[in-house]
Amino acid sequence: MALLALEKVSKRFPGVRALNEVSLQVEAGEIHALLGENGAGKSTLMKILCGIHQPDSGEILIDGTPQHFSSYRRACAAGVGIVFQEFSLIPGLSVVDNIFLGREPRNRLGLIRHGVMLKQANALFERLDIDIDPQIHVHHLSVADQQFVEIAKALSLNARVLVLDEPTAPLTPTEVERLFTIMRQLREQGVAMVFISHHMEEIFEICDRVTVLRDGEYVTTLEVADTDAGALVELMVGRRVDNIFPDHHSHADSDDIVLEARIRMAGRKHTDYIQLARGEILGFAGLVGSGRTEMALAMIGAQPVTERQMQLEGHKVTLKSPADALKRGIGLLPENRKQQGLILPFTCADNITLNHLKHFQTRPPFISRRREREAVEALMDRVRVKAPGSDTVVGTLSGGNQQKVVIARWLERGCRVLIFDEPTRGIDVGAKSEIYALMKTLTAQGISIVMISSELPEITGLCDRVLVFNHGHVVAALSGDEIEAGTIMTHATRQISLDNPTGSTDESVATLERAS
Amino acid sequence: MSTPTSDANPQPRRQRRSRASRLLHSPVFFPLVGFIAVFIVMALANDNFLLPNNLTNVARQGAIIAIIAVGMSFAIFTGGIDLSVGPVMALSGTIMAGLMAAGWPPTVAVIMGLLLGMVFGAFNGACVAFARMPPIIVTLATMGIARGLGLIYTGGYPISGLPAGFSFFGRGEVVGIQVPILIMLLVYLVAYVVLHHTSFGRYVYAIGGNEEATRLTGIRVPRYKLLVYTISGLTAAIAGLVITSRLMSGQPNAGTGFELDAIAAVVLGGAAIAGGRGAILGTLVGAMLLAILNNGLNLMGVSPYLQDVAKGTIILLAIYIGRGRNA
Amino acid sequence: MSTPTSDANPQPRRQRRSRASRLLHSPVFFPLVGFIAVFIVMALANDNFLLPNNLTNVARQGAIIAIIAVGMSFAIFTGGIDLSVGPVMALSGTIMAGLMAAGWPPTVAVIMGLLLGMVFGAFNGACVAFARMPPIIVTLATMGIARGLGLIYTGGYPISGLPAGFSFFGRGEVVGIQVPILIMLLVYLVAYVVLHHTSFGRYVYAIGGNEEATRLTGIRVPRYKLLVYTISGLTAAIAGLVITSRLMSGQPNAGTGFELDAIAAVVLGGAAIAGGRGAILGTLVGAMLLAILNNGLNLMGVSPYLQDVAKGTIILLAIYIGRGRNA
Amino acid sequence: ETGDKADDELVIGMSFQELNNVYFVTMQRALQEAVNEMGASLVFTDARHDIAKQINDVEDMLQRGVDILLLNPTDSVGIQSAVMSAHDAGVPVVAVDAQAEGPIDGFVGSKNFDAGYKACHYMGEQLGGEGKVAILDGIPVIPILERVEGCQKALGEFESIEVVDKQNGHQERSTAMNVTENMLQAHPDLAGIFSVNDVGSLGALVAIQSSGMDVKLASVDGNPEAVKVLAQPNSPLIAIAAQHPATMVVQALELAVKKYRGEESPSEVPIDVTLVTADNAKEFTW
Ligand SMILES: Nc1ncnc2c1ncn2[C@@H]1O[C@H](COP(=O)(O)OP(=O)(O)OP(=O)(O)O)[C@@H](O)[C@H]1O
Ligand SMILES: Nc1ncnc2c1ncn2[C@@H]1O[C@H](COP(=O)(O)OP(=O)(O)OP(=O)(O)O)[C@@H](O)[C@H]1O
Ligand SMILES: [Mg+2]
Ligand SMILES: [Mg+2]
């Protein structure tokens, strides 16, 4: 008998049938992959398992006993733990406080035993090989560190059933390995795990069986050993997807420099130099926290810096805010769509047109609703947003579809330079290949793209040139055959002197200029 | 490159909502239900309530708060608040009165008063937008400053002896409609158009919905916040114009507690206090709801102390009924 | 991920913070700097300011707002607000006075008054937590209700003729410390322990930081919100006890505008108005900052109208200096 | 104990219950003049009807070192602890306009009950002893409550006069105006209104005039703006029981200085109110 069984679970949301009679069995000591496109219903199924949503019909069985989880608390009590897809940490509390939130050890007077909590947290971190100060406030942590705190929090429950909803999305390969080590330990201990990821290779590395969902329907369950990535993708999307990367045909015109930037971040000793050619895709590679996002924000003036000299098509420009950047045709897709990308209470349409409302002012300052709607529907078709309508509130879409809405915003904006920060984080294979194709189409139109990504295949498969970040500085500029995973990782992890990241600054700038 | 074809998408997309569902989901729906309910109760409880004369009374009495609540709506829609509206109203009104008493022509005096309101609002806006201080505390501080300046200017005396023509704004009539009511309707019309048919209006809601995302997408958030508080100062000054003309005297201590009434009007109107959601017509309904409450309870001869209790209770009930939308 | 793994993560990140950096990042740091700055200015501007007698005065005068601000802090830390504190204070105080005047023993009367405050707070809490109504509008409504009830109870007249022993809470001394100051310190001590050493305190910040996530973690958010507003009612009632004893009369219209002073104290104390961040000792510093402002300006003989302007300006400056933390 | 400072060395302190009302501002200016004449100096504060603030204000003034304290309490009982602090500091205290509990050295104030009585009695007569009357109430403080009581007693003496409504205009012009509008609406046959003070009556006046109804208005204070209205022909405002703020405060100052010097003086100086009607309005001034 399976440790965990979900029987014919159905769930409707207003306007969406998220799940239709989906079943799933997970054995003790099994890592079970849950696979499906964006919006297939994976997170919804897991939230039902954890008592966060109530199913319209169907049953949850643990050890064959039917369970009714009216809240996550109940599910926890029954031994179910989850690492949420969206962060559930409290930014203003310390790491320990977050881990033990709701389960603080107390003394006889009802006061918290800080010492005990700290000791347990340290022990936990040691076991997981996590190096984070447990007393630091969570909002000081990088996304990856927050993810590890999230994982530590779920593990501290000593759950028998552990759900991991896209835990690897913000992690680097090293960190993913660390997580897998932990997961293997748990498998030894007989924990039943559900693992959700859009990375095929992860599924083949760690999972025992895989269940595929499509549009809220159960498709099949397979032994991982008996299948391959192509077959799984076909099951997910209902057709074959041969190569997710578009033809490696470069549209870059390396003689036509669109953007040159000399930026010195606040508190840094050196100035970094970035050069971008027309039609080029320039990758920013590096470990999590290596300063790529910071550089992107600095490039659009969203962040104060010590020094910023920018030249756009040979003309000096001063960018004091993202609005200045937009005016000059530089746009950013931020890495955190919920906090930085979307107006969640807005509809898809209002989100998409937000920064180019001027295009729809037939008689300024009035907006023509009709023109706006037509344009939006065309854009939504182009990026294939799966939503009931253009007036659907964006907060109710699945993560991947939300990301597509953010992308759609920039398509008709007429930008010369677009910075994509982790554009495919949490996005399914089908959508990924669509986004890659879109990027190629954009470069063919002469638009230059900076792509920040923590996924090396993406970098190597797509970029014309790559800048490697390490400790907040550009430490290498790679092009052509140099763009290769091993080389990138060597530069990204190289031990460098903080005072002098690239030997000599002048020299490094010179090297980079020659390289580009 | 092998991307999927689009016919593989079976969902019936892009349906538009039905008319009935739109009404039910409109932010004005619940406020309107509450308003109608209270209206019916008041009409049943009192014979005089439905007299045209009394309904005009109600609209005129509610006009001051309704006008102030327009600026408050802008502030609340962006996720802010403006507590300084009452004293700014009083200050602008007294300045107008003072200038007229000093012999300035009414038009010039009125323009100066309105400008003063805008300058004061812009100061609030600058503190909020550029100095990045929390609106509640900025406007709490400027509330005291405006009150003090008004009192210093008048030395505590109300200013009377205004030219007869000035009474037009508070007591005049145009095509059978009293001027305060007309001014109110005009202010709402402009606000409606701005909020629903211009980009600025869209930005107001966007800032309230997610300020950081709005900024990163290339909208000049500080500029629009400045504008929002300037508008709030302006509407407070317009209310100051109406009240000064109606009383034909500049009252430096008018408007005490008006900020709370204006907030109540906005929230009764269905706006989310955290910003991003709300409708300006809802605010009008909210302000009129407060006005019929005051008027109806007065008409029924309810004792003043009991009125406080009754008013509070009815506000609670009204919000309770429409609460799903505000939580 | 088909990438080469690299076992070496050489970055010397995640250093632990030093003691000095912790102090600088403590939410109490900037409020304290502001307080000390104003303190020094006041001491230089006036010879009498530093007299021990006057400093006692200041502490006693600030005690009422400081006590109320404790409940306000709890509400604000959870991302809420409580506007009803002033009237609840007045209502609890008058009930105590009324019961004593009717011959009840002081202890019983005091307990009844405190209970009343808690019941009122619990009602606010129930509306916010279970009926999911926005705190600002709930407490705006109950503010009117409490005020009305107090006036109905007394018929508008203050209640006097209280037993002499009752004056202990407002005018007594224990080991050389005046009782109002002692009560204030006690309230802060308890609040500090609750916020920093109990799970409930942790939940208060968690709810303010991310209510949805707190709920998902399995914490019974409504229960703790109920508790927060009950505490706010209780501290308002304690302030009512002190003020009634100090005045030796129950004043149904005391406490007008106290909610704004209490909010100012909390925000001056470095709390984020959106919740999740703040320190109770900061609130104490904020309340005392307001008290020295009032006292110092009076001592300097600044004209009452100018005081409003001066106070508003100084609050603005204080927030401006510490603003990074609140934006 | 008696003080020995010369007149021009004295520091006079006065705590007002409010300073947004011409009545109190007149008082403050008269006091300033009198103090200037003495060559002394004046500090004053504004309690805004907040008794807790008033006590703080007094404590601060004592700390600053005033020699004489004039007290215009917003609440007679609640002010007691301030009176005691002053007494302990050896500063003579004279209450002005409203009584103060505790060891005070004197009280100078209007006969508020009389004020309400006189105004309403006159109005009753003018109404021919019949009709419906409403009361426009104010902030619940003793002098105001006494005026209402006096008025009710006077009206009770007319068998056919009925008090049909009592609403609170908060002694603020626009609120008084709105409330009066509503009262007129509720009672279309209203014959008279008594307002507890002139700020309220000026608001009520706007409402009466724009309604076009024939309603008589009586009030208390003697605010110059109201007296001017009273003097106009066919004014709805027919009577004001006028107080004398300037006289009051000057007498209070004299009394306090005498107490300071230890001279013999009466401890209570009730000031009569003057009934101002259309007949004598032209001559009346504060
Ligand atoms: N609270 C909600 N209200 C309305 N619709 C919802 C809600 N939550 C999810 N949905 C809808 O249910 C469907 C399934 O969403 P779910 O988040 O489970 O997808 P997913 O498989 O986890 O996708 P992703 O890979 O993008 O995370 C989507 O169409 C989504 O829009
Ligand atoms: N644990 C940490 N504590 C404090 N600061 C950190 C921590 N981790 C990273 N940082 C800071 O964050 C900045 C880099 O973050 P940034 O988000 O720009 O990196 P990134 O390369 O985009 O990585 P990510 O994949 O997380 O987006 C650096 O200034 C670094 O000092
Ligand atoms: Mg998901
Ligand atoms: Mg990043």
Side-chain angles (χ1 to χ4, degrees), chain A residues 328-381:
Chain A
R328 308 286 182 184
I330 307 175
L332 169 77
L333 273 93
E335 72 181 327
N336 184 335
R337 56 182 169 257
K338 281 209 169 163
Q339 276 162 30
Q340 303 173 311
L342 292 167
I343 319 291
L344 288 176
F346 269 30
T347 62
C348 295
D350 288 349
N351 265 295
I352 290 172
T353 57
L354 187 63
N355 65 7
H356 48 292
L357 284 168
K358 275 207 182 72
H359 296 197
F360 313 109
Q361 291 173 342
T362 23
R363 275 165 301 150
F366 304 110
I367 300 168
S368 159
R369 291 261 177 191
R370 194 179 49 79
R371 280 185 52 180
E372 191 185 351
R373 200 177 57 236
E374 287 165 6
V376 163
E377 297 194 342
L379 281 172
M380 284 174 70
D381 283 335

Coordinates of all heavy atoms in Angstrom, one line a residue, chain A residues 328-381:
Chain A
R328 N 14.9 56.0 -23.5 CA 16.0 55.7 -24.4 C 15.8 54.3 -25.1 O 16.7 53.9 -25.8 CB 17.3 55.7 -23.7 CG 17.5 57.0 -22.9 CD 17.8 58.1 -23.8 NE 18.1 59.3 -22.9 CZ 18.3 60.5 -23.4 NH1 18.3 60.7 -24.7 NH2 18.5 61.5 -22.6
G329 N 14.8 53.6 -24.7 CA 14.6 52.3 -25.4 C 15.4 51.2 -24.7 O 15.8 50.2 -25.3
I330 N 15.5 51.2 -23.4 CA 16.1 50.1 -22.6 C 15.1 49.6 -21.6 O 14.6 50.4 -20.8 CB 17.4 50.6 -21.9 CG1 18.4 51.3 -22.8 CG2 18.1 49.4 -21.2 CD1 19.6 51.8 -22.1
G331 N 14.8 48.4 -21.7 CA 13.8 47.8 -20.8 C 14.3 46.6 -20.0 O 15.2 45.9 -20.4
L332 N 13.7 46.3 -18.9 CA 14.1 45.2 -18.0 C 12.9 44.3 -17.7 O 11.9 44.8 -17.3 CB 14.7 45.8 -16.7 CG 15.0 44.8 -15.6 CD1 16.2 44.0 -15.9 CD2 15.1 45.4 -14.3
L333 N 13.1 43.0 -17.8 CA 12.2 42.1 -17.3 C 12.8 41.6 -16.0 O 13.8 40.8 -16.0 CB 12.1 40.8 -18.2 CG 11.1 40.9 -19.3 CD1 11.8 41.4 -20.5 CD2 10.6 39.5 -19.5
P334 N 12.2 42.0 -14.9 CA 12.9 41.7 -13.6 C 12.8 40.2 -13.2 O 12.0 39.5 -13.8 CB 12.1 42.6 -12.6 CG 10.8 42.9 -13.3 CD 11.0 42.8 -14.7
E335 N 13.7 39.8 -12.3 CA 13.8 38.4 -12.0 C 12.6 37.9 -11.1 O 12.2 36.7 -11.2 CB 15.1 38.0 -11.4 CG 15.3 38.5 -10.0 CD 16.6 38.2 -9.4 OE1 17.2 37.1 -9.7 OE2 17.2 39.0 -8.6
N336 N 12.0 38.8 -10.3 CA 11.0 38.4 -9.4 C 9.7 38.9 -9.9 O 9.3 40.1 -9.7 CB 11.3 38.8 -8.0 CG 10.2 38.3 -7.0 OD1 9.1 38.1 -7.4 ND2 10.6 38.2 -5.8
R337 N 8.9 38.1 -10.7 CA 7.8 38.7 -11.4 C 6.7 39.2 -10.4 O 6.0 40.2 -10.7 CB 7.2 37.7 -12.3 CG 6.8 36.4 -11.7 CD 6.3 35.4 -12.7 NE 6.2 34.1 -12.1 CZ 7.1 33.1 -12.2 NH1 8.1 33.2 -13.1 NH2 6.9 31.9 -11.6
K338 N 6.5 38.5 -9.3 CA 5.4 39.0 -8.4 C 5.8 40.3 -7.7 O 4.9 41.1 -7.5 CB 5.1 37.9 -7.3 CG 4.3 36.8 -7.9 CD 3.4 36.1 -6.9 CE 2.4 35.2 -7.6 NZ 1.8 34.3 -6.7
Q339 N 7.0 40.4 -7.3 CA 7.4 41.6 -6.5 C 7.8 42.8 -7.4 O 7.6 43.9 -7.1 CB 8.5 41.3 -5.5 CG 7.9 40.7 -4.2 CD 9.0 40.0 -3.4 OE1 10.1 40.4 -3.5 NE2 8.6 39.0 -2.7
Q340 N 8.4 42.4 -8.6 CA 9.0 43.5 -9.4 C 8.3 43.6 -10.8 O 8.6 44.6 -11.4 CB 10.5 43.2 -9.5 CG 11.2 43.2 -8.2 CD 12.6 42.8 -8.4 OE1 12.9 41.8 -9.1 NE2 13.5 43.5 -7.9
G341 N 7.6 42.6 -11.1 CA 7.1 42.6 -12.5 C 5.6 43.0 -12.7 O 5.3 43.7 -13.5
L342 N 4.8 42.4 -11.8 CA 3.4 42.5 -12.1 C 2.6 43.3 -11.1 O 3.0 43.4 -9.9 CB 2.8 41.1 -12.1 CG 3.2 40.1 -13.2 CD1 2.8 38.7 -12.9 CD2 2.6 40.6 -14.5
I343 N 1.5 44.0 -11.6 CA 0.6 44.6 -10.7 C -0.5 43.5 -10.5 O -1.4 43.3 -11.3 CB -0.1 45.8 -11.3 CG1 1.0 46.7 -12.1 CG2 -0.8 46.7 -10.3 CD1 2.0 47.3 -11.3
L344 N -0.4 42.8 -9.4 CA -1.2 41.6 -9.2 C -2.7 41.8 -9.3 O -3.4 41.0 -9.9 CB -0.8 40.8 -8.0 CG 0.5 40.1 -8.0 CD1 0.9 39.5 -6.7 CD2 0.5 39.1 -9.1
P345 N -3.2 42.9 -8.7 CA -4.7 43.1 -8.8 C -5.1 43.6 -10.2 O -6.3 43.7 -10.5 CB -5.0 44.2 -7.8 CG -3.7 44.8 -7.4 CD -2.6 43.9 -7.8
F346 N -4.2 43.9 -11.1 CA -4.6 44.3 -12.5 C -4.9 43.1 -13.4 O -4.5 42.0 -13.1 CB -3.4 45.1 -13.1 CG -3.4 46.6 -12.9 CD1 -4.0 47.1 -11.7 CD2 -2.9 47.4 -13.8 CE1 -4.0 48.4 -11.5 CE2 -2.8 48.8 -13.5 CZ -3.4 49.3 -12.4
T347 N -5.7 43.4 -14.4 CA -5.9 42.4 -15.4 C -4.7 42.2 -16.3 O -3.8 43.0 -16.3 CB -7.1 42.8 -16.4 OG1 -6.7 44.0 -17.1 CG2 -8.3 43.1 -15.6
C348 N -4.7 41.1 -17.1 CA -3.6 40.9 -18.0 C -3.4 42.1 -18.9 O -2.3 42.6 -19.1 CB -3.9 39.7 -18.9 SG -4.0 38.2 -18.0
A349 N -4.5 42.6 -19.5 CA -4.5 43.7 -20.4 C -3.8 44.9 -19.7 O -2.9 45.5 -20.3 CB -5.9 44.1 -20.9
D350 N -4.2 45.3 -18.6 CA -3.7 46.5 -17.9 C -2.2 46.3 -17.6 O -1.4 47.3 -17.6 CB -4.5 46.8 -16.6 CG -5.9 47.4 -17.0 OD1 -6.1 47.7 -18.1 OD2 -6.7 47.5 -16.1
N351 N -1.8 45.1 -17.3 CA -0.4 44.9 -17.0 C 0.4 45.0 -18.3 O 1.5 45.5 -18.3 CB -0.2 43.5 -16.4 CG -0.1 43.5 -14.9 OD1 0.8 44.0 -14.4 ND2 -1.1 42.9 -14.3
I352 N -0.1 44.5 -19.4 CA 0.7 44.5 -20.6 C 0.9 45.9 -21.1 O 1.9 46.3 -21.6 CB 0.0 43.6 -21.6 CG1 0.2 42.1 -21.2 CG2 0.6 43.8 -23.0 CD1 -0.6 41.1 -22.0
T353 N -0.2 46.7 -21.1 CA -0.1 48.1 -21.7 C 0.5 49.1 -20.8 O 0.7 50.3 -21.2 CB -1.5 48.5 -22.2 OG1 -2.3 48.6 -21.0 CG2 -2.0 47.6 -23.2
L354 N 0.8 48.7 -19.5 CA 1.1 49.7 -18.5 C 2.2 50.7 -19.0 O 2.0 51.9 -18.8 CB 1.6 49.1 -17.2 CG 1.8 50.0 -16.1 CD1 0.5 50.7 -15.7 CD2 2.4 49.3 -14.9
N355 N 3.2 50.3 -19.6 CA 4.3 51.2 -19.9 C 4.3 51.8 -21.4 O 5.2 52.4 -21.8 CB 5.7 50.7 -19.5 CG 6.1 49.5 -20.4 OD1 5.4 49.2 -21.3 ND2 7.2 48.9 -20.0
H356 N 3.2 51.5 -22.1 CA 3.1 52.1 -23.4 C 1.7 52.6 -23.7 O 1.2 52.4 -24.8 CB 3.7 51.3 -24.5 CG 3.2 49.9 -24.5 ND1 3.6 49.0 -23.6 CD2 2.5 49.2 -25.4 CE1 3.1 47.8 -23.9 NE2 2.4 47.9 -25.0
L357 N 1.1 53.1 -22.7 CA -0.3 53.6 -22.8 C -0.4 54.7 -23.9 O -1.4 54.8 -24.6 CB -0.8 54.1 -21.5 CG -1.2 53.0 -20.5 CD1 -1.4 53.6 -19.1 CD2 -2.5 52.3 -21.0
K358 N 0.7 55.4 -24.1 CA 0.7 56.5 -25.1 C 0.3 56.0 -26.5 O -0.3 56.7 -27.3 CB 2.1 57.1 -25.2 CG 2.4 58.1 -24.2 CD 3.4 59.1 -24.7 CE 3.7 60.2 -23.7 NZ 4.5 59.6 -22.5
H359 N 0.7 54.7 -26.8 CA 0.3 54.1 -28.1 C -1.2 54.1 -28.3 O -1.6 53.9 -29.5 CB 0.9 52.7 -28.2 CG 2.4 52.7 -28.2 ND1 3.1 51.7 -28.6 CD2 3.3 53.6 -27.8 CE1 4.4 51.9 -28.5 NE2 4.5 53.1 -27.9
F360 N -1.9 54.1 -27.3 CA -3.4 53.9 -27.4 C -4.2 55.2 -27.2 O -5.4 55.2 -27.1 CB -3.9 52.8 -26.5 CG -3.0 51.6 -26.5 CD1 -2.2 51.3 -25.5 CD2 -3.0 50.8 -27.7 CE1 -1.4 50.2 -25.5 CE2 -2.2 49.7 -27.7 CZ -1.4 49.4 -26.7
Q361 N -3.4 56.3 -27.2 CA -4.1 57.6 -27.0 C -4.4 58.1 -28.4 O -3.6 58.8 -29.0 CB -3.2 58.5 -26.2 CG -3.1 58.1 -24.8 CD -2.1 59.0 -24.0 OE1 -1.3 59.7 -24.6 NE2 -2.1 58.9 -22.7
T362 N -5.6 57.8 -28.9 CA -6.0 58.3 -30.2 C -6.1 59.8 -30.1 O -5.8 60.6 -31.0 CB -7.3 57.7 -30.7 OG1 -8.0 57.2 -29.6 CG2 -7.0 56.6 -31.6
R363 N -6.8 60.3 -29.0 CA -6.9 61.7 -28.7 C -6.3 62.0 -27.3 O -7.0 61.9 -26.3 CB -8.3 62.2 -28.7 CG -8.9 62.5 -30.1 CD -10.4 62.5 -30.1 NE -10.9 61.3 -29.7 CZ -12.1 61.1 -29.0 NH1 -12.8 62.2 -28.7 NH2 -12.5 59.9 -28.6
P364 N -5.0 62.3 -27.3 CA -4.4 62.5 -26.0 C -5.1 63.5 -25.1 O -5.6 64.5 -25.7 CB -3.0 63.0 -26.3 CG -2.7 62.6 -27.7 CD -4.1 62.5 -28.4
P365 N -5.2 63.4 -23.8 CA -4.6 62.3 -23.0 C -5.5 61.1 -22.9 O -5.3 60.3 -22.0 CB -4.4 63.0 -21.7 CG -5.5 63.9 -21.5 CD -5.9 64.3 -22.9
F366 N -6.5 61.0 -23.7 CA -7.5 59.9 -23.5 C -7.0 58.6 -24.2 O -6.5 58.6 -25.3 CB -8.9 60.3 -24.0 CG -9.3 61.5 -23.3 CD1 -9.5 62.7 -24.0 CD2 -9.6 61.5 -22.0 CE1 -9.9 63.9 -23.4 CE2 -10.0 62.7 -21.3 CZ -10.2 63.9 -22.1
I367 N -7.3 57.5 -23.5 CA -6.9 56.2 -24.0 C -8.0 55.5 -24.7 O -9.2 55.6 -24.3 CB -6.5 55.2 -22.8 CG1 -5.4 55.8 -22.0 CG2 -6.2 53.9 -23.3 CD1 -5.1 55.2 -20.7
S368 N -7.8 55.0 -25.9 CA -8.8 54.3 -26.6 C -8.8 52.8 -26.2 O -7.9 52.0 -26.4 CB -8.5 54.3 -28.1 OG -9.2 53.3 -28.8
R369 N -9.8 52.5 -25.5 CA -10.0 51.1 -24.9 C -10.0 50.1 -26.0 O -9.5 49.0 -25.8 CB -11.3 51.0 -24.1 CG -11.3 51.8 -22.9 CD -11.0 50.9 -21.7 NE -11.0 51.7 -20.5 CZ -10.5 51.3 -19.4 NH1 -10.1 50.0 -19.3 NH2 -10.5 52.0 -18.3
R370 N -10.6 50.4 -27.1 CA -10.8 49.4 -28.2 C -9.4 49.0 -28.7 O -9.0 47.9 -28.8 CB -11.7 50.0 -29.3 CG -12.2 48.9 -30.3 CD -13.1 49.6 -31.3 NE -12.5 50.8 -31.9 CZ -11.5 50.8 -32.8 NH1 -11.1 49.7 -33.3 NH2 -11.0 51.9 -33.3
R371 N -8.6 50.1 -29.1 CA -7.3 49.8 -29.6 C -6.4 49.1 -28.6 O -5.7 48.2 -29.0 CB -6.6 51.1 -30.0 CG -7.1 51.6 -31.3 CD -6.4 52.9 -31.8 NE -5.0 52.7 -31.8 CZ -4.2 53.7 -32.2 NH1 -4.7 54.9 -32.6 NH2 -2.9 53.6 -32.2
E372 N -6.6 49.4 -27.4 CA -5.8 48.8 -26.3 C -6.1 47.3 -26.3 O -5.2 46.4 -26.3 CB -6.1 49.4 -25.0 CG -5.2 49.0 -23.9 CD -5.6 49.6 -22.5 OE1 -6.6 50.4 -22.5 OE2 -5.1 49.2 -21.5
R373 N -7.4 47.0 -26.4 CA -7.8 45.6 -26.2 C -7.3 44.8 -27.5 O -6.8 43.7 -27.3 CB -9.4 45.5 -26.1 CG -9.8 44.1 -25.5 CD -11.3 44.1 -25.4 NE -12.0 44.3 -26.6 CZ -12.9 45.3 -26.8 NH1 -13.2 46.1 -25.8 NH2 -13.5 45.4 -27.9
E374 N -7.5 45.3 -28.6 CA -7.0 44.6 -29.8 C -5.5 44.3 -29.7 O -5.1 43.2 -30.0 CB -7.3 45.5 -31.1 CG -8.8 45.5 -31.4 CD -9.0 46.7 -32.5 OE1 -8.1 47.3 -32.9 OE2 -10.2 46.9 -32.7
A375 N -4.8 45.3 -29.3 CA -3.3 45.1 -29.3 C -3.0 44.1 -28.2 O -2.1 43.2 -28.5 CB -2.6 46.4 -28.9
V376 N -3.7 44.1 -27.1 CA -3.4 43.2 -26.0 C -3.7 41.7 -26.5 O -2.9 40.8 -26.3 CB -4.2 43.5 -24.8 CG1 -4.2 42.3 -23.8 CG2 -3.6 44.7 -24.1
E377 N -4.8 41.6 -27.1 CA -5.2 40.2 -27.5 C -4.2 39.6 -28.5 O -3.8 38.5 -28.5 CB -6.6 40.2 -28.0 CG -7.5 40.6 -26.9 CD -9.0 40.3 -27.1 OE1 -9.4 40.1 -28.2 OE2 -9.7 40.3 -26.1
A378 N -3.7 40.5 -29.4 CA -2.7 40.0 -30.4 C -1.4 39.6 -29.6 O -0.8 38.6 -29.9 CB -2.4 41.2 -31.3
L379 N -1.0 40.4 -28.6 CA 0.2 40.1 -27.9 C 0.1 38.8 -27.1 O 1.0 38.0 -27.0 CB 0.6 41.3 -27.0 CG 1.2 42.5 -27.6 CD1 1.3 43.6 -26.6 CD2 2.6 42.1 -28.1
M380 N -1.1 38.7 -26.5 CA -1.3 37.5 -25.7 C -1.3 36.2 -26.5 O -0.8 35.2 -26.1 CB -2.6 37.6 -24.9 CG -2.5 38.5 -23.7 SD -4.0 38.8 -22.8 CE -4.3 37.3 -22.0
D381 N -1.8 36.4 -27.7 CA -1.7 35.2 -28.7 C -0.2 34.9 -29.0 O 0.2 33.8 -29.1 CB -2.5 35.5 -29.9 CG -4.0 35.4 -29.7 OD1 -4.3 34.6 -28.7 OD2 -4.8 36.0 -30.4

